[in-house]
Amino acid sequence: MSADNLQVGIIGTGAIGGLHAHNLALRTNGANVAAVMDIDRERANAVAQACGARAVQDAAGLIADPEIDAILIASPDASHAELSLAAIAAGKPVLCEKPLATSLADAEHIVNAELAAGQCLVQVGFMRQVDPAHCDLQALLLSGQLGAPLRFRGTHFNPRRGDTIISIKDAIVNSLIHDMHSLRWLMGSEVQSAFVQWLPDRADMPHSARFALAHLTLDNGGLATLEWSGDSGYGYEVGVEIVGELGTAQTHSHSSPAIRRAGRLSQAVTPDWQDRFAEAYQIEVQDWVDSLRQGAPTGPSAWDGYMSLVIADACLRSVDSGLPEPTRAMDHPAFYA
Ligand code: NAD
């Protein structure tokens, strides 16, 4: 381990925090996990031991610790804004898991704090931006072979998680937020309006969600639909299809072989997000470490986190009104050019 290694402190050592800790400690050059914190002390201790890190009990102390260079936030959604603001106040770079915040107002505070600090410190965990299947589609779009993109179709199908009932609000702010970022990134356009329809997971809980569909209009005249399922019945699948002026293309979402056997054509579907995006999570933290060692983060910014919540906010208003709702965003600061 070199003295120049980035010393990372991780807050939240559950499913994704544990995965990031493992990737940073064992599969990333130029960094090590110096300290971890989780309100579940046993979990923090186990991850600390596996990574050769210290387990600490206080998030504010970890952020302030002069031996920690950078913070990774992987605690629940509701804690992201406060912890990101604390990292900005300490002048430390932070990789914050999505969503950047659970409200548009909190995301705006983070953007304003970064503007006041005059430094890009925040990166948001929209790791699809480094997923090879999504990158191949982006390269095709940038090559011009599809012509101008006209329509984005995102599919985000999850396996059911035990007895968990997901609300339409959580489906939008916690899950569809990924697809909202993907569409801005791949279509190169902001969203003008959003209209949401959904099927409840339970008839007696009208704001529970089994399946949701968001129809979006874009500033560049394009259209988008985002389809989400909380119970695909078959596994985990994320895909994008883009219709362009000259052609149509889809992400290749499966890396397993297509098998023709005994009169059937079959292909395995990944069971969960950990399998589907395993490579992207590794690339994400390596790129983050490399960019910080060279000066500043280059991945999805606080502005990207904010603009994804602008779309989510219009979707939430559409849930309440039953109508298409316009997006409402602050002016784009030149700082985030
Ligand atoms: P999880 O429940 O498995 O883990 C969360 C951990 O945070 C738990 O260990 C819990 O004890 C701990 N915790 C709770 N409150 C805390 C606090 N105030 N301070 C410190 N630790 C606290 O959840 P998860 O699936 O790992 O999700 C964590 C975050 O990562 C969520 O915001 C989620 O949206 C995001 N996430 C992103 C992706 C992605 O694809 N980028 C995938 C999964 C989860």
Side-chain angles (χ1 to χ4, degrees), residues 14-16 38-39 43 74-77 80 97-98 125 174 178 281:
I16 190 93
D38 195 296
I39 54 169
R43 199 172 278 172
S75 44
D77 298 1
H80 294 184
E97 265 309 335
K98 59 78 199 165
N174 172 274
H178 267 305
Y281 293 121

Side-chain angles (χ1 to χ4, degrees), residues 23-272:
N23 283 339
L24 277 164
L26 303 176
R27 295 168 181 242
T28 305
N29 295 319
N32 57 283
V33 182
V36 301
M37 181 272 159
D38 195 296
I39 54 169
D40 181 333
R41 289 189 194 178
E42 271 181 41
R43 199 172 278 172
N45 286 336
V47 171
Q49 199 171 17
C51 297
R54 285 178 285 132
V56 300
Q57 287 167 21
D58 170 34
L62 179 143
I63 292 170
D65 185 337
E67 289 182 13
I68 302 288
D69 301 319
I71 314 295
L72 193 155
I73 300 172
S75 44
D77 298 1
S79 62
H80 294 184
E82 188 183 336
L83 293 170
S84 295
L85 286 167
I88 295 169
K92 294 194 181 173
V94 54
L95 174 54
C96 178
E97 265 309 335
K98 59 78 199 165
L100 176 60
T102 48
S103 73
L104 187 55
D106 281 351
E108 192 168 332
H109 285 145
I110 294 169
V111 165
N112 285 331
E114 251 196 4
L115 289 172
Q119 248 186 310
C120 269
L121 293 167
V122 177
Q123 176 168 324
V124 182
F126 290 131
M127 77 300 163
R128 292 184 192 172
Q129 203 170 305
V130 291
D131 168 57
H134 285 76
C135 290
D136 287 351
L137 186 57
Q138 189 208 25
L140 185 71
L141 278 165
L142 293 177
S143 76
Q145 290 180 69
L146 294 183
L150 302 174
R151 187 275 242 157
F152 175 103
R153 175 174 172 237
T155 47
H156 184 166
F157 287 9
N158 300 277
R160 183 176 284 279
R161 277 186 281 156
D163 295 334
T164 308
I165 303 288
I166 300 177
S167 67
I168 183 63
K169 180 181 181 210
D170 275 350
I172 290 168
V173 175
N174 172 274
S175 197
L176 275 162
I177 200 87
H178 267 305
D179 309 274
M180 294 167 187
H181 176 69
S182 295
L183 107 82
R184 292 182 56 248
W185 169 58
L186 288 168
M187 296 296 276
S189 176
E190 300 300 351
V191 169
Q192 209 168 57
S193 73
F195 175 51
V196 175
Q197 294 173 300
W198 78 100
L199 304 175
D201 198 19
R202 279 189 28 186
D204 59 338
M205 297 172 70
H207 280 80
S208 62
R210 163 78 192 245
F211 187 87
L213 188 54
H215 307 259
L216 310 168
T217 61
L218 310 187
D219 281 350
N220 68 359
L223 298 171
T225 55
L226 310 181
E227 291 175 34
W228 177 91
S229 171
D231 183 2
S232 68
Y234 64 85
Y236 179 81
E237 194 166 29
V238 164
V240 173
E241 181 188 81
I242 290 186
V243 176
E245 282 176 324
L246 304 176
T248 295
Q250 288 177 318
T251 50
H252 47 91
S253 61
H254 303 293
S255 51
S256 63
I259 303 168
R260 288 172 172 79
R261 183 173 175 273
R264 299 183 72 82
L265 168 59
S266 65
Q267 191 172 33
V269 175
T270 50
D272 51 41

